[in-house]
Amino acid sequence: MNIYLKGFKKGVFYLEKIKYKVFKKFHIDGFVFKKLEARRDKLLTQAKNEEEKKKIAFWYKHNLMLIKRENNREENINYHLDKDNPEETLFWLNVNKKIHKRGLKFNFIKLPIYILLLFMNNVFGNFILVNVLFILGLTKEIISLIINGSCIMLQNYSIDRVEKYIAGPYQKRKEKLARKTLEYVPLTEVTSKVMEKSETLPTPDEMLASLTTDEQRRLFLKLVMQELEYRKRHCEMSKVKTLKKI
């Protein structure tokens, strides 16, 4: 990664920290959840059969889970590698790349339009206020173009990194994950049924109430502790990085 991309990546992660602070302070996640729910309801009205409704319900709960995980961990899913599920990281990297590529196309369309309008105004009228508006629009598009282009370069780098991880270390990690999957079968058999019945994501209390054996409760507690440990490590790493800068 070159010096420019390293600096840009640091800027992205700095904005990420600010984003989640704002989200928590103003409870923006509630607004995001409502938008997602509205999208689900609209798709359900367009569903042709029960199979499509089931797919929409799964899509809604899966995305809701991802958003909550992002908010709890304070990490954008498309910039942080999930070593246990790199395919999902790769998928979201490509989704984000497509968004920025589309934005870049609009930048290349709008830029010459603003330049042409600015030229025409200076030739035929030279209105100062109009000039200011066109210059502001031109500046906005140039900044947007730089951001979109930089994001695409960073995503290309990240996509290459994730693909190499999938082709290499992840192949060995799969064996460990397979054993882990077998270990959690008694729990997943119950939780999957609860997830299917619920219209939204069940709360931890609801999930705990659905467990009937000590083994299921032990595995559930183990998962919770692993997640808390992950967040604790993430928080400590952030503090260490902050102290190094002081």
Side-chain angles (χ1 to χ4, degrees):
M1 184 186 289
N2 60 42
I3 295 172
Y4 173 75
L5 274 187
K6 282 183 180 178
F8 185 76
K9 187 177 181 181
K10 284 182 180 180
V12 168
F13 286 159
Y14 177 74
L15 290 175
E16 181 183 68
K17 288 181 181 179
I18 295 172
K19 169 190 167 182
Y20 288 112
K21 282 181 182 178
V22 172
F23 268 44
K24 288 186 175 181
K25 186 174 182 179
F26 296 102
H27 305 288
I28 294 174
D29 52 348
F31 171 77
V32 176
F33 296 153
K34 285 179 181 177
K35 293 289 285 182
L36 188 64
E37 189 176 329
R39 177 66 177 160
R40 178 203 62 185
D41 294 343
K42 184 179 179 181
L43 289 171
L44 285 173
T45 59
Q46 297 170 353
K48 297 176 182 178
N49 51 51
E50 285 301 316
E51 188 64 30
E52 284 190 7
K53 286 182 180 179
K54 284 182 181 179
K55 287 180 180 179
I56 292 164
F58 175 81
W59 166 86
Y60 167 72
K61 283 183 274 192
H62 182 69
N63 279 275
L64 190 61
M65 181 182 67
L66 291 179
I67 293 167
K68 287 191 173 186
R69 189 178 75 182
E70 277 193 338
N71 290 343
N72 289 330
R73 294 185 175 187
E74 298 185 4
E75 291 180 347
N76 286 327
I77 193 169
N78 55 309
Y79 279 114
H80 296 271
L81 173 63
D82 183 350
K83 290 185 177 180
D84 291 346
N85 194 3
E87 290 95 344
E88 187 170 62
T89 305
L90 190 62
F91 170 79
W92 288 108
L93 275 167
N94 280 300
V95 167
N96 208 24
K97 181 182 172 181
K98 284 178 183 177
I99 291 169
H100 286 292
K101 283 181 78 175
R102 188 165 62 243
L104 202 61
K105 286 178 183 177
F106 282 114
N107 294 143
F108 283 123
I109 292 169
K110 290 179 181 179
L111 273 171
I113 292 173
Y114 274 117
I115 293 169
L116 179 62
L117 289 172
L118 190 63
F119 173 76
M120 289 176 67
N121 180 60
N122 278 277
V123 171
F124 296 107
N126 197 21
F127 298 105
I128 296 173
L129 181 59
V130 176
N131 264 345
V132 170
L133 291 173
F134 287 157
I135 289 169
L136 286 173
L138 188 61
T139 304
K140 172 185 168 294
E141 289 305 317
I142 291 171
I143 293 170
S144 178
L145 184 145
I146 293 169
I147 292 171
N148 283 323
S150 300
C151 283
I152 290 168
M153 286 191 291
L154 183 57
Q155 281 143 13
N156 282 336
Y157 168 81
S158 299
I159 287 167
D160 182 61
R161 186 169 64 97
V162 174
E163 285 177 341
K164 285 178 180 176
Y165 172 75
I166 291 171
Y170 182 58
Q171 298 307 311
K172 292 182 180 179
R173 194 176 181 88
K174 275 183 176 180
E175 296 176 12
K176 182 181 176 181
L177 292 172
R179 291 194 296 271
K180 188 177 179 181
T181 301
L182 286 173
E183 180 189 358
Y184 284 96
V185 166
L187 179 63
T188 53
E189 285 177 346
V190 177
T191 55
S192 58
K193 289 177 182 177
V194 176
M195 287 282 284
E196 284 177 15
K197 290 179 181 178
S198 177
E199 289 188 3
T200 183
L201 287 179
T203 65
D205 288 338
E206 288 172 338
M207 195 69 81
L208 191 59
S210 69
L211 307 179
T212 56
T213 68
D214 290 339
E215 178 66 5
Q216 289 168 357
R217 295 185 190 98
R218 182 188 71 80
L219 291 170
F220 182 75
L221 180 61
K222 189 177 178 180
L223 277 179
V224 172
M225 294 305 294
Q226 284 175 356
E227 178 62 23
L228 290 174
E229 182 62 28
Y230 178 90
R231 294 184 203 175
K232 182 182 176 183
R233 283 201 313 271
H234 175 70
C235 183
E236 287 174 351
M237 285 171 65
S238 297
K239 285 180 180 177
V240 168
K241 287 177 182 178
T242 304
L243 287 170
K244 283 182 178 179
K245 291 177 183 178
I246 296 173

Coordinates of all heavy atoms in Angstrom, one line a residue, residues 3 6 8 10 17 22 27 53 80 86 89 112 154 157-158 167 177:
I3 N 1.9 5.4 0.2 CA 1.8 6.4 1.3 C 0.4 7.1 1.3 O -0.2 7.3 2.3 CB 2.9 7.4 1.2 CG1 4.3 6.7 1.5 CG2 2.7 8.5 2.3 CD1 5.5 7.6 1.2
K6 N -2.3 4.8 2.5 CA -2.2 4.6 4.0 C -2.8 5.8 4.7 O -3.5 5.6 5.7 CB -0.7 4.5 4.4 CG -0.1 3.1 4.1 CD 1.3 3.0 4.6 CE 1.9 1.6 4.3 NZ 3.3 1.6 4.7
F8 N -5.0 7.8 3.5 CA -6.5 7.9 3.2 C -7.2 6.8 4.1 O -8.3 7.1 4.7 CB -6.8 7.5 1.8 CG -8.2 7.6 1.4 CD1 -8.8 8.9 1.2 CD2 -9.0 6.5 1.2 CE1 -10.1 9.0 0.8 CE2 -10.3 6.6 0.9 CZ -10.9 7.8 0.7
K10 N -6.2 5.8 7.1 CA -6.3 6.4 8.4 C -7.4 7.4 8.6 O -8.1 7.4 9.6 CB -4.9 7.1 8.8 CG -3.8 6.1 9.1 CD -2.5 6.9 9.4 CE -1.4 5.9 9.8 NZ -0.1 6.7 10.1
K17 N -14.7 6.3 13.6 CA -14.8 6.5 15.0 C -15.9 7.7 15.3 O -16.7 7.5 16.2 CB -13.5 6.9 15.6 CG -12.5 5.8 15.7 CD -11.2 6.2 16.4 CE -10.2 5.1 16.4 NZ -8.9 5.5 17.0
V22 N -21.4 9.7 16.8 CA -22.6 10.4 16.4 C -23.8 9.5 16.5 O -24.9 9.9 17.0 CB -22.4 11.1 15.0 CG1 -23.7 11.7 14.5 CG2 -21.3 12.1 15.1
H27 N -28.8 8.5 18.5 CA -29.6 7.3 18.3 C -30.0 7.1 16.8 O -31.2 6.9 16.5 CB -30.8 7.3 19.2 CG -30.5 7.5 20.7 ND1 -29.9 6.5 21.4 CD2 -30.6 8.6 21.5 CE1 -29.7 6.9 22.6 NE2 -30.1 8.2 22.7
K53 N -41.5 -14.5 0.4 CA -41.7 -13.8 1.7 C -40.6 -14.3 2.7 O -40.1 -13.5 3.5 CB -43.1 -14.1 2.3 CG -44.2 -13.3 1.5 CD -45.5 -13.5 2.1 CE -46.6 -12.7 1.4 NZ -47.9 -13.0 1.9
H80 N -13.2 -4.0 7.7 CA -12.6 -4.9 8.7 C -12.8 -6.3 8.3 O -13.9 -6.8 8.2 CB -13.2 -4.6 10.1 CG -13.0 -3.2 10.5 ND1 -11.8 -2.8 11.2 CD2 -13.7 -2.1 10.3 CE1 -11.9 -1.5 11.5 NE2 -13.0 -1.0 11.0
P86 N -14.7 -14.5 5.6 CA -14.1 -13.5 4.7 C -14.9 -13.3 3.4 O -14.8 -12.3 2.8 CB -12.7 -14.1 4.4 CG -12.9 -15.6 4.6 CD -13.8 -15.7 5.7
T89 N -17.1 -10.4 4.0 CA -16.3 -9.2 3.9 C -16.0 -8.8 2.4 O -16.2 -7.6 2.0 CB -14.9 -9.3 4.6 OG1 -15.1 -9.7 5.9 CG2 -14.1 -8.0 4.6
P112 N -17.8 18.2 -16.5 CA -17.8 19.0 -17.8 C -19.0 20.0 -17.9 O -18.9 21.0 -18.5 CB -17.8 18.0 -18.9 CG -18.2 16.7 -18.2 CD -17.8 16.8 -16.8
L154 N -8.6 1.9 -2.5 CA -8.5 1.3 -1.2 C -9.3 -0.1 -1.2 O -8.8 -1.1 -0.7 CB -9.0 2.2 -0.1 CG -8.9 1.7 1.3 CD1 -7.5 1.3 1.7 CD2 -9.5 2.7 2.3
Y157 N -7.4 -2.7 -3.2 CA -6.3 -3.2 -2.3 C -6.9 -4.2 -1.3 O -6.3 -5.3 -1.1 CB -5.6 -2.1 -1.6 CG -4.7 -2.5 -0.4 CD1 -3.4 -3.0 -0.7 CD2 -5.1 -2.5 0.9 CE1 -2.6 -3.4 0.3 CE2 -4.3 -3.0 1.9 CZ -3.0 -3.4 1.6 OH -2.2 -3.8 2.6
S158 N -8.0 -3.9 -0.7 CA -8.6 -4.7 0.4 C -9.2 -6.0 -0.3 O -9.0 -7.1 0.3 CB -9.7 -4.0 1.1 OG -9.2 -2.8 1.7
A167 N -7.7 -17.7 -0.3 CA -6.9 -18.7 -1.0 C -5.8 -19.4 -0.2 O -5.5 -20.5 -0.4 CB -6.3 -18.1 -2.3
L177 N -13.0 -24.0 12.1 CA -14.4 -23.6 12.0 C -15.4 -24.7 11.9 O -16.5 -24.7 12.5 CB -14.6 -22.6 10.8 CG -13.8 -21.3 10.9 CD1 -14.0 -20.5 9.6 CD2 -14.4 -20.4 12.1

